[in-house]
Amino acid sequence: MSSVQPIPHAGVDTLSFRQLDQLNALPKGSCFKLFKHCQSQLLEGRDYFYLPATEHQALIDQLKLSGQIYASTVHLVLLTRDGYARLRELGGSQL
């Protein structure tokens, strides 16, 4: 996770889908699609955090301004280091 600046959340370093796409040199939306495919095998609160706009709009706006998330982001999903490792494991050659 050295080429992007992690987003601290709930006491852990996390990454956004934009950062994961960037880290893996993938087109926009690639990591989101993989996440949606594997979400049932990931544990919320350990592998990822779901932050709805209704409760986290200020953070979402701040991260949009900093370029850490896509400008089109409505609700934010942040992957933990363990979640990223698990996604890589589940995604095989996609990551």
Side-chain angles (χ1 to χ4, degrees):
M1 287 193 194
S2 59
S3 63
V4 295
Q5 183 66 33
I7 300 166
H9 180 75
V12 296
D13 285 342
T14 66
L15 292 176
S16 70
F17 291 128
R18 180 178 188 158
Q19 292 172 314
L20 292 171
D21 286 343
Q22 186 178 13
L23 187 65
N24 292 284
L26 295 170
K28 178 182 178 182
S30 297
C31 287
F32 173 72
K33 289 175 192 168
L34 180 59
F35 171 79
K36 291 302 279 182
H37 180 73
C38 301
Q39 185 175 3
S40 65
Q41 299 173 64
L42 301 171
L43 182 62
E44 186 173 358
R46 181 193 71 194
D47 296 323
Y48 70 94
F49 297 99
Y50 173 75
L51 288 71
T54 53
E55 300 169 31
H56 300 276
Q57 192 62 58
L59 174 62
I60 292 169
D61 290 343
Q62 174 190 353
L63 293 173
K64 282 181 185 182
L65 285 174
S66 71
Q68 291 177 285
I69 64 173
Y70 288 115
S72 58
T73 300
V74 177
H75 304 291
L76 182 60
V77 175
L78 297 171
L79 265 74
T80 65
R81 189 177 303 266
D82 288 343
Y84 177 51
R86 183 82 174 119
L87 198 62
R88 288 182 59 107
E89 180 183 299
L90 295 169
S93 62
Q94 295 181 50
L95 286 182

